[in-house]
Amino acid sequence: MANLGVVCDERAALDAELDSMATLHGVSRRYVVTYLQEPTVRLIARRAATAATGLDAGLLSAASRLDEEHPEAADWPGEVRNYLIDHLAAHQGALEYAEATTGGRLGIEETGLLRFRYTDPSGLAGARDPGPDSVLVLTIQHPDALARGRVLRADPAWGRPIFEWAYRLMEDAYRNSTGIQAGRLIWAWADLATVAAAERPELAVAGAIDQFGAANGNPEAVAVLARVPAERCLFSSHLLFDGFVLRGRYAASDIEDALGVHRRFGRTHLDPSDPADPIRDTVIASWVERVLGGADRAEVRLQVCLDRIEADEIVAVVPLNLGARPATTDGQSTAPVRLAKR
């Protein structure tokens, strides 16, 4: 944590993290400590730093590196500096996630601002890719949703009211892309590392998948792994959707682009409450072109929106607790894995 510039009662913070991990796995702290490896220790330290400061540890680290690695950023407006801080943090996070979920079988290459794709020197994707016409997805749902009938559809009550406008934007993009009028969409992961770890949990570092799902917060939720037709999917980058759309920011292609927009408008974000905001059309046009228009299937943090999941498309339903060994649709057991909602 000292490397992140965090000063706190480290022993207390780390103790709390160890207690949480031991409780999660249903084992003693001594047992947990026996199997801790360096990547997990680093993960625990980052969590403790976040708890102590209220700030994401990745952003703390990226901000501390910015001036040293990019001295040219010293004169940039704060909003533009934040683009690069987010990019550095996302890059490091992608590297760590690929290592934690696939044991280093996947690498990362940068393709643009907040854009990364997986490299696959071990052929992991080829071994599990169902082909261009279908895609493996993973979505987190309440068991009640599965019990309603033969078709899994999104719960219209799900979502955060503050983001309703963004959901409607994605619904419009989905209709334009697929021709399907769906209303509330199912959101799922098609991220290669996530789906590979769901299929083969032995690849993942202990605790990596758990922290990915920490935001779900529903102990009854289940992870639904399904193979669905690609024609019913709208692919997009969660990094771009979260980093640009949900934050109301212009989706810059690079830093020079962001600087140009800032020079023109004096800012790079819109006021969502002002329909006459001068920057509004420019920002929304950038989302349509660079965020909602699709994504490379190898994109890091690849997300999918779709109208439904048919019962015969479900590969496995995995309860979100580590002790369970659920059954797949073909009657075979699957190894325990704990995943959760994006």
Side-chain angles (χ1 to χ4, degrees), residues 165-203:
W165 63 272
Y167 298 149
R168 291 196 298 271
L169 191 67
M170 189 63 91
E171 288 161 11
D172 289 343
Y174 183 82
R175 183 181 62 252
N176 292 336
S177 174
T178 66
I180 299 172
Q181 179 71 49
R184 181 68 80 182
L185 297 168
I186 292 176
W187 292 70
W189 292 104
D191 180 273
L192 175 57
T194 301
V195 177
E199 288 189 295
R200 297 177 57 189
E202 73 277 7
L203 294 177

PDB file of all heavy atoms in Angstrom, residues 165-203:
ATOM      1  N   TRP A 165     -31.394   6.695 -18.541  1.00  0.00           N
ATOM      2  CA  TRP A 165     -31.188   7.309 -19.849  1.00  0.00           C
ATOM      3  C   TRP A 165     -30.173   6.514 -20.667  1.00  0.00           C
ATOM      4  O   TRP A 165     -30.326   6.370 -21.897  1.00  0.00           O
ATOM      5  CB  TRP A 165     -30.713   8.759 -19.683  1.00  0.00           C
ATOM      6  CG  TRP A 165     -29.384   8.871 -18.981  1.00  0.00           C
ATOM      7  CD1 TRP A 165     -29.170   8.942 -17.639  1.00  0.00           C
ATOM      8  CD2 TRP A 165     -28.090   8.867 -19.588  1.00  0.00           C
ATOM      9  NE1 TRP A 165     -27.824   8.994 -17.368  1.00  0.00           N
ATOM     10  CE2 TRP A 165     -27.129   8.952 -18.539  1.00  0.00           C
ATOM     11  CE3 TRP A 165     -27.643   8.815 -20.911  1.00  0.00           C
ATOM     12  CZ2 TRP A 165     -25.767   8.975 -18.791  1.00  0.00           C
ATOM     13  CZ3 TRP A 165     -26.273   8.835 -21.152  1.00  0.00           C
ATOM     14  CH2 TRP A 165     -25.356   8.916 -20.101  1.00  0.00           C
ATOM     15  N   ALA A 166     -29.142   5.971 -20.005  1.00  0.00           N
ATOM     16  CA  ALA A 166     -28.114   5.193 -20.711  1.00  0.00           C
ATOM     17  C   ALA A 166     -28.678   3.851 -21.167  1.00  0.00           C
ATOM     18  O   ALA A 166     -28.334   3.361 -22.248  1.00  0.00           O
ATOM     19  CB  ALA A 166     -26.906   4.983 -19.810  1.00  0.00           C
ATOM     20  N   TYR A 167     -29.538   3.235 -20.339  1.00  0.00           N
ATOM     21  CA  TYR A 167     -30.160   1.987 -20.752  1.00  0.00           C
ATOM     22  C   TYR A 167     -31.013   2.214 -22.000  1.00  0.00           C
ATOM     23  O   TYR A 167     -31.008   1.396 -22.934  1.00  0.00           O
ATOM     24  CB  TYR A 167     -31.043   1.428 -19.632  1.00  0.00           C
ATOM     25  CG  TYR A 167     -30.307   1.073 -18.365  1.00  0.00           C
ATOM     26  CD1 TYR A 167     -30.943   1.178 -17.128  1.00  0.00           C
ATOM     27  CD2 TYR A 167     -28.986   0.639 -18.378  1.00  0.00           C
ATOM     28  CE1 TYR A 167     -30.289   0.853 -15.947  1.00  0.00           C
ATOM     29  CE2 TYR A 167     -28.316   0.310 -17.207  1.00  0.00           C
ATOM     30  CZ  TYR A 167     -28.977   0.421 -15.995  1.00  0.00           C
ATOM     31  OH  TYR A 167     -28.325   0.101 -14.833  1.00  0.00           O
ATOM     32  N   ARG A 168     -31.774   3.305 -22.016  1.00  0.00           N
ATOM     33  CA  ARG A 168     -32.617   3.590 -23.183  1.00  0.00           C
ATOM     34  C   ARG A 168     -31.766   3.823 -24.423  1.00  0.00           C
ATOM     35  O   ARG A 168     -32.139   3.425 -25.530  1.00  0.00           O
ATOM     36  CB  ARG A 168     -33.509   4.800 -22.904  1.00  0.00           C
ATOM     37  CG  ARG A 168     -34.588   4.522 -21.847  1.00  0.00           C
ATOM     38  CD  ARG A 168     -35.666   5.591 -21.892  1.00  0.00           C
ATOM     39  NE  ARG A 168     -35.128   6.909 -21.581  1.00  0.00           N
ATOM     40  CZ  ARG A 168     -35.049   7.413 -20.354  1.00  0.00           C
ATOM     41  NH1 ARG A 168     -35.453   6.702 -19.316  1.00  0.00           N
ATOM     42  NH2 ARG A 168     -34.574   8.619 -20.154  1.00  0.00           N
ATOM     43  N   LEU A 169     -30.615   4.452 -24.241  1.00  0.00           N
ATOM     44  CA  LEU A 169     -29.697   4.662 -25.360  1.00  0.00           C
ATOM     45  C   LEU A 169     -29.245   3.321 -25.928  1.00  0.00           C
ATOM     46  O   LEU A 169     -29.200   3.128 -27.154  1.00  0.00           O
ATOM     47  CB  LEU A 169     -28.485   5.466 -24.876  1.00  0.00           C
ATOM     48  CG  LEU A 169     -27.524   6.007 -25.930  1.00  0.00           C
ATOM     49  CD1 LEU A 169     -28.195   7.082 -26.770  1.00  0.00           C
ATOM     50  CD2 LEU A 169     -26.275   6.567 -25.260  1.00  0.00           C
ATOM     51  N   MET A 170     -28.911   2.362 -25.050  1.00  0.00           N
ATOM     52  CA  MET A 170     -28.479   1.051 -25.508  1.00  0.00           C
ATOM     53  C   MET A 170     -29.633   0.278 -26.151  1.00  0.00           C
ATOM     54  O   MET A 170     -29.422  -0.460 -27.122  1.00  0.00           O
ATOM     55  CB  MET A 170     -27.891   0.256 -24.333  1.00  0.00           C
ATOM     56  CG  MET A 170     -27.209  -1.030 -24.760  1.00  0.00           C
ATOM     57  SD  MET A 170     -25.759  -0.732 -25.828  1.00  0.00           S
ATOM     58  CE  MET A 170     -24.454  -0.632 -24.604  1.00  0.00           C
ATOM     59  N   GLU A 171     -30.844   0.465 -25.638  1.00  0.00           N
ATOM     60  CA  GLU A 171     -31.997  -0.194 -26.247  1.00  0.00           C
ATOM     61  C   GLU A 171     -32.198   0.293 -27.687  1.00  0.00           C
ATOM     62  O   GLU A 171     -32.505  -0.500 -28.589  1.00  0.00           O
ATOM     63  CB  GLU A 171     -33.251   0.065 -25.409  1.00  0.00           C
ATOM     64  CG  GLU A 171     -33.248  -0.695 -24.086  1.00  0.00           C
ATOM     65  CD  GLU A 171     -34.214  -0.121 -23.063  1.00  0.00           C
ATOM     66  OE1 GLU A 171     -35.043   0.746 -23.449  1.00  0.00           O
ATOM     67  OE2 GLU A 171     -34.144  -0.522 -21.890  1.00  0.00           O
ATOM     68  N   ASP A 172     -32.021   1.590 -27.912  1.00  0.00           N
ATOM     69  CA  ASP A 172     -32.129   2.129 -29.274  1.00  0.00           C
ATOM     70  C   ASP A 172     -31.027   1.555 -30.164  1.00  0.00           C
ATOM     71  O   ASP A 172     -31.284   1.194 -31.321  1.00  0.00           O
ATOM     72  CB  ASP A 172     -32.029   3.655 -29.246  1.00  0.00           C
ATOM     73  CG  ASP A 172     -33.260   4.319 -28.649  1.00  0.00           C
ATOM     74  OD1 ASP A 172     -34.306   3.647 -28.553  1.00  0.00           O
ATOM     75  OD2 ASP A 172     -33.160   5.499 -28.261  1.00  0.00           O
ATOM     76  N   ALA A 173     -29.812   1.480 -29.632  1.00  0.00           N
ATOM     77  CA  ALA A 173     -28.696   0.934 -30.399  1.00  0.00           C
ATOM     78  C   ALA A 173     -28.934  -0.535 -30.730  1.00  0.00           C
ATOM     79  O   ALA A 173     -28.612  -0.997 -31.831  1.00  0.00           O
ATOM     80  CB  ALA A 173     -27.389   1.098 -29.618  1.00  0.00           C
ATOM     81  N   TYR A 174     -29.512  -1.267 -29.775  1.00  0.00           N
ATOM     82  CA  TYR A 174     -29.803  -2.681 -29.997  1.00  0.00           C
ATOM     83  C   TYR A 174     -30.822  -2.851 -31.118  1.00  0.00           C
ATOM     84  O   TYR A 174     -30.661  -3.693 -32.013  1.00  0.00           O
ATOM     85  CB  TYR A 174     -30.318  -3.323 -28.710  1.00  0.00           C
ATOM     86  CG  TYR A 174     -30.576  -4.810 -28.831  1.00  0.00           C
ATOM     87  CD1 TYR A 174     -29.529  -5.715 -28.709  1.00  0.00           C
ATOM     88  CD2 TYR A 174     -31.854  -5.300 -29.071  1.00  0.00           C
ATOM     89  CE1 TYR A 174     -29.755  -7.085 -28.828  1.00  0.00           C
ATOM     90  CE2 TYR A 174     -32.083  -6.660 -29.189  1.00  0.00           C
ATOM     91  CZ  TYR A 174     -31.028  -7.546 -29.064  1.00  0.00           C
ATOM     92  OH  TYR A 174     -31.249  -8.896 -29.185  1.00  0.00           O
ATOM     93  N   ARG A 175     -31.878  -2.055 -31.090  1.00  0.00           N
ATOM     94  CA  ARG A 175     -32.912  -2.134 -32.128  1.00  0.00           C
ATOM     95  C   ARG A 175     -32.319  -1.797 -33.488  1.00  0.00           C
ATOM     96  O   ARG A 175     -32.591  -2.484 -34.482  1.00  0.00           O
ATOM     97  CB  ARG A 175     -34.056  -1.181 -31.802  1.00  0.00           C
ATOM     98  CG  ARG A 175     -35.205  -1.254 -32.805  1.00  0.00           C
ATOM     99  CD  ARG A 175     -36.332  -0.285 -32.469  1.00  0.00           C
ATOM    100  NE  ARG A 175     -35.881   1.099 -32.507  1.00  0.00           N
ATOM    101  CZ  ARG A 175     -35.698   1.857 -31.432  1.00  0.00           C
ATOM    102  NH1 ARG A 175     -35.921   1.372 -30.224  1.00  0.00           N
ATOM    103  NH2 ARG A 175     -35.300   3.103 -31.553  1.00  0.00           N
ATOM    104  N   ASN A 176     -31.476  -0.783 -33.550  1.00  0.00           N
ATOM    105  CA  ASN A 176     -30.867  -0.393 -34.822  1.00  0.00           C
ATOM    106  C   ASN A 176     -29.912  -1.459 -35.346  1.00  0.00           C
ATOM    107  O   ASN A 176     -29.784  -1.650 -36.557  1.00  0.00           O
ATOM    108  CB  ASN A 176     -30.119   0.931 -34.661  1.00  0.00           C
ATOM    109  CG  ASN A 176     -31.045   2.098 -34.407  1.00  0.00           C
ATOM    110  OD1 ASN A 176     -32.223   2.060 -34.764  1.00  0.00           O
ATOM    111  ND2 ASN A 176     -30.534   3.147 -33.775  1.00  0.00           N
ATOM    112  N   SER A 177     -29.240  -2.166 -34.427  1.00  0.00           N
ATOM    113  CA  SER A 177     -28.259  -3.167 -34.833  1.00  0.00           C
ATOM    114  C   SER A 177     -28.893  -4.489 -35.228  1.00  0.00           C
ATOM    115  O   SER A 177     -28.477  -5.125 -36.203  1.00  0.00           O
ATOM    116  CB  SER A 177     -27.265  -3.396 -33.690  1.00  0.00           C
ATOM    117  OG  SER A 177     -26.370  -4.453 -33.984  1.00  0.00           O
ATOM    118  N   THR A 178     -29.909  -4.921 -34.467  1.00  0.00           N
ATOM    119  CA  THR A 178     -30.471  -6.260 -34.671  1.00  0.00           C
ATOM    120  C   THR A 178     -31.843  -6.259 -35.325  1.00  0.00           C
ATOM    121  O   THR A 178     -32.295  -7.308 -35.809  1.00  0.00           O
ATOM    122  CB  THR A 178     -30.599  -6.996 -33.329  1.00  0.00           C
ATOM    123  OG1 THR A 178     -31.577  -6.321 -32.507  1.00  0.00           O
ATOM    124  CG2 THR A 178     -29.263  -7.033 -32.594  1.00  0.00           C
ATOM    125  N   GLY A 179     -32.529  -5.115 -35.306  1.00  0.00           N
ATOM    126  CA  GLY A 179     -33.889  -5.066 -35.810  1.00  0.00           C
ATOM    127  C   GLY A 179     -34.914  -5.574 -34.819  1.00  0.00           C
ATOM    128  O   GLY A 179     -36.090  -5.703 -35.160  1.00  0.00           O
ATOM    129  N   ILE A 180     -34.490  -5.857 -33.577  1.00  0.00           N
ATOM    130  CA  ILE A 180     -35.380  -6.410 -32.560  1.00  0.00           C
ATOM    131  C   ILE A 180     -35.783  -5.323 -31.578  1.00  0.00           C
ATOM    132  O   ILE A 180     -34.934  -4.636 -31.019  1.00  0.00           O
ATOM    133  CB  ILE A 180     -34.688  -7.564 -31.791  1.00  0.00           C
ATOM    134  CG1 ILE A 180     -34.317  -8.696 -32.757  1.00  0.00           C
ATOM    135  CG2 ILE A 180     -35.595  -8.092 -30.681  1.00  0.00           C
ATOM    136  CD1 ILE A 180     -33.464  -9.771 -32.118  1.00  0.00           C
ATOM    137  N   GLN A 181     -37.092  -5.170 -31.379  1.00  0.00           N
ATOM    138  CA  GLN A 181     -37.608  -4.247 -30.365  1.00  0.00           C
ATOM    139  C   GLN A 181     -37.730  -5.032 -29.066  1.00  0.00           C
ATOM    140  O   GLN A 181     -38.651  -5.824 -28.889  1.00  0.00           O
ATOM    141  CB  GLN A 181     -38.969  -3.695 -30.778  1.00  0.00           C
ATOM    142  CG  GLN A 181     -39.582  -2.739 -29.772  1.00  0.00           C
ATOM    143  CD  GLN A 181     -38.853  -1.407 -29.707  1.00  0.00           C
ATOM    144  OE1 GLN A 181     -38.590  -0.778 -30.731  1.00  0.00           O
ATOM    145  NE2 GLN A 181     -38.515  -0.969 -28.503  1.00  0.00           N
ATOM    146  N   ALA A 182     -36.789  -4.833 -28.140  1.00  0.00           N
ATOM    147  CA  ALA A 182     -36.699  -5.717 -26.989  1.00  0.00           C
ATOM    148  C   ALA A 182     -37.164  -5.095 -25.687  1.00  0.00           C
ATOM    149  O   ALA A 182     -37.464  -5.814 -24.746  1.00  0.00           O
ATOM    150  CB  ALA A 182     -35.245  -6.192 -26.826  1.00  0.00           C
ATOM    151  N   GLY A 183     -37.207  -3.792 -25.577  1.00  0.00           N
ATOM    152  CA  GLY A 183     -37.451  -3.195 -24.270  1.00  0.00           C
ATOM    153  C   GLY A 183     -36.240  -3.413 -23.391  1.00  0.00           C
ATOM    154  O   GLY A 183     -35.102  -3.264 -23.833  1.00  0.00           O
ATOM    155  N   ARG A 184     -36.475  -3.801 -22.132  1.00  0.00           N
ATOM    156  CA  ARG A 184     -35.346  -4.014 -21.222  1.00  0.00           C
ATOM    157  C   ARG A 184     -34.471  -5.151 -21.718  1.00  0.00           C
ATOM    158  O   ARG A 184     -34.962  -6.227 -22.068  1.00  0.00           O
ATOM    159  CB  ARG A 184     -35.867  -4.326 -19.825  1.00  0.00           C
ATOM    160  CG  ARG A 184     -34.793  -4.544 -18.795  1.00  0.00           C
ATOM    161  CD  ARG A 184     -34.032  -3.269 -18.499  1.00  0.00           C
ATOM    162  NE  ARG A 184     -34.766  -2.407 -17.592  1.00  0.00           N
ATOM    163  CZ  ARG A 184     -34.330  -1.213 -17.200  1.00  0.00           C
ATOM    164  NH1 ARG A 184     -33.180  -0.735 -17.649  1.00  0.00           N
ATOM    165  NH2 ARG A 184     -35.038  -0.472 -16.384  1.00  0.00           N
ATOM    166  N   LEU A 185     -33.181  -4.933 -21.761  1.00  0.00           N
ATOM    167  CA  LEU A 185     -32.229  -5.910 -22.299  1.00  0.00           C
ATOM    168  C   LEU A 185     -31.568  -6.727 -21.200  1.00  0.00           C
ATOM    169  O   LEU A 185     -31.417  -6.268 -20.068  1.00  0.00           O
ATOM    170  CB  LEU A 185     -31.136  -5.178 -23.091  1.00  0.00           C
ATOM    171  CG  LEU A 185     -31.596  -4.410 -24.338  1.00  0.00           C
ATOM    172  CD1 LEU A 185     -30.465  -3.515 -24.841  1.00  0.00           C
ATOM    173  CD2 LEU A 185     -32.048  -5.371 -25.431  1.00  0.00           C
ATOM    174  N   ILE A 186     -31.177  -7.927 -21.550  1.00  0.00           N
ATOM    175  CA  ILE A 186     -30.290  -8.718 -20.699  1.00  0.00           C
ATOM    176  C   ILE A 186     -28.875  -8.230 -20.948  1.00  0.00           C
ATOM    177  O   ILE A 186     -28.438  -8.100 -22.098  1.00  0.00           O
ATOM    178  CB  ILE A 186     -30.392 -10.223 -21.022  1.00  0.00           C
ATOM    179  CG1 ILE A 186     -31.764 -10.763 -20.615  1.00  0.00           C
ATOM    180  CG2 ILE A 186     -29.284 -11.002 -20.331  1.00  0.00           C
ATOM    181  CD1 ILE A 186     -31.979 -12.220 -20.991  1.00  0.00           C
ATOM    182  N   TRP A 187     -28.137  -7.967 -19.878  1.00  0.00           N
ATOM    183  CA  TRP A 187     -26.730  -7.591 -19.979  1.00  0.00           C
ATOM    184  C   TRP A 187     -25.889  -8.787 -19.561  1.00  0.00           C
ATOM    185  O   TRP A 187     -26.189  -9.456 -18.567  1.00  0.00           O
ATOM    186  CB  TRP A 187     -26.423  -6.408 -19.064  1.00  0.00           C
ATOM    187  CG  TRP A 187     -27.067  -5.130 -19.495  1.00  0.00           C
ATOM    188  CD1 TRP A 187     -28.396  -4.828 -19.468  1.00  0.00           C
ATOM    189  CD2 TRP A 187     -26.421  -3.971 -20.024  1.00  0.00           C
ATOM    190  NE1 TRP A 187     -28.621  -3.564 -19.930  1.00  0.00           N
ATOM    191  CE2 TRP A 187     -27.423  -3.010 -20.280  1.00  0.00           C
ATOM    192  CE3 TRP A 187     -25.091  -3.656 -20.293  1.00  0.00           C
ATOM    193  CZ2 TRP A 187     -27.133  -1.752 -20.807  1.00  0.00           C
ATOM    194  CZ3 TRP A 187     -24.801  -2.396 -20.804  1.00  0.00           C
ATOM    195  CH2 TRP A 187     -25.808  -1.465 -21.064  1.00  0.00           C
ATOM    196  N   ALA A 188     -24.875  -9.069 -20.325  1.00  0.00           N
ATOM    197  CA  ALA A 188     -24.046 -10.241 -20.057  1.00  0.00           C
ATOM    198  C   ALA A 188     -22.605  -9.942 -20.422  1.00  0.00           C
ATOM    199  O   ALA A 188     -22.300  -8.955 -21.103  1.00  0.00           O
ATOM    200  CB  ALA A 188     -24.550 -11.451 -20.858  1.00  0.00           C
ATOM    201  N   TRP A 189     -21.717 -10.804 -19.959  1.00  0.00           N
ATOM    202  CA  TRP A 189     -20.308 -10.735 -20.336  1.00  0.00           C
ATOM    203  C   TRP A 189     -20.044 -11.735 -21.453  1.00  0.00           C
ATOM    204  O   TRP A 189     -20.516 -12.882 -21.398  1.00  0.00           O
ATOM    205  CB  TRP A 189     -19.410 -11.084 -19.155  1.00  0.00           C
ATOM    206  CG  TRP A 189     -19.414 -10.084 -18.045  1.00  0.00           C
ATOM    207  CD1 TRP A 189     -20.039 -10.192 -16.835  1.00  0.00           C
ATOM    208  CD2 TRP A 189     -18.742  -8.821 -18.040  1.00  0.00           C
ATOM    209  NE1 TRP A 189     -19.812  -9.073 -16.079  1.00  0.00           N
ATOM    210  CE2 TRP A 189     -19.021  -8.209 -16.795  1.00  0.00           C
ATOM    211  CE3 TRP A 189     -17.949  -8.148 -18.963  1.00  0.00           C
ATOM    212  CZ2 TRP A 189     -18.518  -6.954 -16.459  1.00  0.00           C
ATOM    213  CZ3 TRP A 189     -17.449  -6.899 -18.630  1.00  0.00           C
ATOM    214  CH2 TRP A 189     -17.734  -6.321 -17.387  1.00  0.00           C
ATOM    215  N   ALA A 190     -19.291 -11.311 -22.458  1.00  0.00           N
ATOM    216  CA  ALA A 190     -18.746 -12.233 -23.449  1.00  0.00           C
ATOM    217  C   ALA A 190     -17.229 -12.137 -23.437  1.00  0.00           C
ATOM    218  O   ALA A 190     -16.549 -12.661 -24.321  1.00  0.00           O
ATOM    219  CB  ALA A 190     -19.289 -11.917 -24.838  1.00  0.00           C
ATOM    220  N   ASP A 191     -16.708 -11.441 -22.431  1.00  0.00           N
ATOM    221  CA  ASP A 191     -15.271 -11.256 -22.252  1.00  0.00           C
ATOM    222  C   ASP A 191     -14.577 -12.610 -22.212  1.00  0.00           C
ATOM    223  O   ASP A 191     -14.955 -13.505 -21.459  1.00  0.00           O
ATOM    224  CB  ASP A 191     -15.059 -10.499 -20.939  1.00  0.00           C
ATOM    225  CG  ASP A 191     -13.606 -10.247 -20.632  1.00  0.00           C
ATOM    226  OD1 ASP A 191     -12.984 -11.129 -20.017  1.00  0.00           O
ATOM    227  OD2 ASP A 191     -13.093  -9.184 -21.002  1.00  0.00           O
ATOM    228  N   LEU A 192     -13.555 -12.775 -23.047  1.00  0.00           N
ATOM    229  CA  LEU A 192     -12.891 -14.068 -23.181  1.00  0.00           C
ATOM    230  C   LEU A 192     -12.356 -14.592 -21.864  1.00  0.00           C
ATOM    231  O   LEU A 192     -12.542 -15.771 -21.530  1.00  0.00           O
ATOM    232  CB  LEU A 192     -11.750 -13.950 -24.205  1.00  0.00           C
ATOM    233  CG  LEU A 192     -10.863 -15.181 -24.390  1.00  0.00           C
ATOM    234  CD1 LEU A 192     -11.689 -16.391 -24.794  1.00  0.00           C
ATOM    235  CD2 LEU A 192      -9.786 -14.885 -25.436  1.00  0.00           C
ATOM    236  N   ALA A 193     -11.711 -13.737 -21.075  1.00  0.00           N
ATOM    237  CA  ALA A 193     -11.135 -14.191 -19.811  1.00  0.00           C
ATOM    238  C   ALA A 193     -12.224 -14.606 -18.830  1.00  0.00           C
ATOM    239  O   ALA A 193     -12.096 -15.621 -18.136  1.00  0.00           O
ATOM    240  CB  ALA A 193     -10.270 -13.089 -19.204  1.00  0.00           C
ATOM    241  N   THR A 194     -13.306 -13.849 -18.769  1.00  0.00           N
ATOM    242  CA  THR A 194     -14.387 -14.156 -17.839  1.00  0.00           C
ATOM    243  C   THR A 194     -15.056 -15.476 -18.178  1.00  0.00           C
ATOM    244  O   THR A 194     -15.258 -16.338 -17.324  1.00  0.00           O
ATOM    245  CB  THR A 194     -15.440 -13.029 -17.849  1.00  0.00           C
ATOM    246  OG1 THR A 194     -14.819 -11.807 -17.481  1.00  0.00           O
ATOM    247  CG2 THR A 194     -16.577 -13.330 -16.893  1.00  0.00           C
ATOM    248  N   VAL A 195     -15.415 -15.655 -19.454  1.00  0.00           N
ATOM    249  CA  VAL A 195     -16.111 -16.872 -19.853  1.00  0.00           C
ATOM    250  C   VAL A 195     -15.186 -18.086 -19.745  1.00  0.00           C
ATOM    251  O   VAL A 195     -15.613 -19.165 -19.335  1.00  0.00           O
ATOM    252  CB  VAL A 195     -16.682 -16.719 -21.275  1.00  0.00           C
ATOM    253  CG1 VAL A 195     -17.350 -18.006 -21.726  1.00  0.00           C
ATOM    254  CG2 VAL A 195     -17.693 -15.583 -21.320  1.00  0.00           C
ATOM    255  N   ALA A 196     -13.904 -17.907 -20.074  1.00  0.00           N
ATOM    256  CA  ALA A 196     -12.958 -19.016 -19.941  1.00  0.00           C
ATOM    257  C   ALA A 196     -12.837 -19.450 -18.486  1.00  0.00           C
ATOM    258  O   ALA A 196     -12.795 -20.642 -18.171  1.00  0.00           O
ATOM    259  CB  ALA A 196     -11.589 -18.607 -20.491  1.00  0.00           C
ATOM    260  N   ALA A 197     -12.796 -18.486 -17.577  1.00  0.00           N
ATOM    261  CA  ALA A 197     -12.691 -18.814 -16.154  1.00  0.00           C
ATOM    262  C   ALA A 197     -13.974 -19.453 -15.636  1.00  0.00           C
ATOM    263  O   ALA A 197     -13.935 -20.293 -14.735  1.00  0.00           O
ATOM    264  CB  ALA A 197     -12.363 -17.563 -15.351  1.00  0.00           C
ATOM    265  N   ALA A 198     -15.128 -19.060 -16.203  1.00  0.00           N
ATOM    266  CA  ALA A 198     -16.391 -19.681 -15.801  1.00  0.00           C
ATOM    267  C   ALA A 198     -16.448 -21.130 -16.245  1.00  0.00           C
ATOM    268  O   ALA A 198     -16.933 -22.000 -15.524  1.00  0.00           O
ATOM    269  CB  ALA A 198     -17.559 -18.900 -16.398  1.00  0.00           C
ATOM    270  N   GLU A 199     -15.960 -21.391 -17.453  1.00  0.00           N
ATOM    271  CA  GLU A 199     -15.935 -22.758 -17.960  1.00  0.00           C
ATOM    272  C   GLU A 199     -14.867 -23.603 -17.277  1.00  0.00           C
ATOM    273  O   GLU A 199     -15.060 -24.794 -17.034  1.00  0.00           O
ATOM    274  CB  GLU A 199     -15.651 -22.752 -19.458  1.00  0.00           C
ATOM    275  CG  GLU A 199     -16.783 -22.271 -20.328  1.00  0.00           C
ATOM    276  CD  GLU A 199     -16.480 -22.518 -21.785  1.00  0.00           C
ATOM    277  OE1 GLU A 199     -15.527 -21.898 -22.307  1.00  0.00           O
ATOM    278  OE2 GLU A 199     -17.165 -23.340 -22.397  1.00  0.00           O
ATOM    279  N   ARG A 200     -13.739 -22.976 -16.981  1.00  0.00           N
ATOM    280  CA  ARG A 200     -12.604 -23.710 -16.424  1.00  0.00           C
ATOM    281  C   ARG A 200     -12.081 -22.974 -15.191  1.00  0.00           C
ATOM    282  O   ARG A 200     -11.053 -22.298 -15.237  1.00  0.00           O
ATOM    283  CB  ARG A 200     -11.497 -23.853 -17.477  1.00  0.00           C
ATOM    284  CG  ARG A 200     -11.898 -24.663 -18.695  1.00  0.00           C
ATOM    285  CD  ARG A 200     -10.777 -24.696 -19.720  1.00  0.00           C
ATOM    286  NE  ARG A 200      -9.549 -25.219 -19.151  1.00  0.00           N
ATOM    287  CZ  ARG A 200      -8.353 -25.196 -19.766  1.00  0.00           C
ATOM    288  NH1 ARG A 200      -8.266 -24.650 -20.967  1.00  0.00           N
ATOM    289  NH2 ARG A 200      -7.281 -25.686 -19.181  1.00  0.00           N
ATOM    290  N   PRO A 201     -12.789 -23.079 -14.062  1.00  0.00           N
ATOM    291  CA  PRO A 201     -12.399 -22.320 -12.866  1.00  0.00           C
ATOM    292  C   PRO A 201     -11.024 -22.697 -12.336  1.00  0.00           C
ATOM    293  O   PRO A 201     -10.449 -21.934 -11.567  1.00  0.00           O
ATOM    294  CB  PRO A 201     -13.506 -22.665 -11.858  1.00  0.00           C
ATOM    295  CG  PRO A 201     -14.125 -23.918 -12.360  1.00  0.00           C
ATOM    296  CD  PRO A 201     -14.029 -23.855 -13.855  1.00  0.00           C
ATOM    297  N   GLU A 202     -10.499 -23.839 -12.764  1.00  0.00           N
ATOM    298  CA  GLU A 202      -9.153 -24.210 -12.314  1.00  0.00           C
ATOM    299  C   GLU A 202      -8.088 -23.270 -12.876  1.00  0.00           C
ATOM    300  O   GLU A 202      -6.952 -23.231 -12.384  1.00  0.00           O
ATOM    301  CB  GLU A 202      -8.835 -25.654 -12.725  1.00  0.00           C
ATOM    302  CG  GLU A 202      -8.558 -25.871 -14.209  1.00  0.00           C
ATOM    303  CD  GLU A 202      -9.810 -26.036 -15.056  1.00  0.00           C
ATOM    304  OE1 GLU A 202     -10.925 -25.857 -14.519  1.00  0.00           O
ATOM    305  OE2 GLU A 202      -9.675 -26.334 -16.259  1.00  0.00           O
ATOM    306  N   LEU A 203      -8.440 -22.481 -13.904  1.00  0.00           N
ATOM    307  CA  LEU A 203      -7.497 -21.516 -14.458  1.00  0.00           C
ATOM    308  C   LEU A 203      -7.297 -20.325 -13.533  1.00  0.00           C
ATOM    309  O   LEU A 203      -6.264 -19.657 -13.575  1.00  0.00           O
ATOM    310  CB  LEU A 203      -7.995 -20.983 -15.807  1.00  0.00           C
ATOM    311  CG  LEU A 203      -8.094 -21.950 -16.988  1.00  0.00           C
ATOM    312  CD1 LEU A 203      -8.671 -21.225 -18.190  1.00  0.00           C
ATOM    313  CD2 LEU A 203      -6.740 -22.539 -17.319  1.00  0.00           C
TER     314      LEU A 203
END
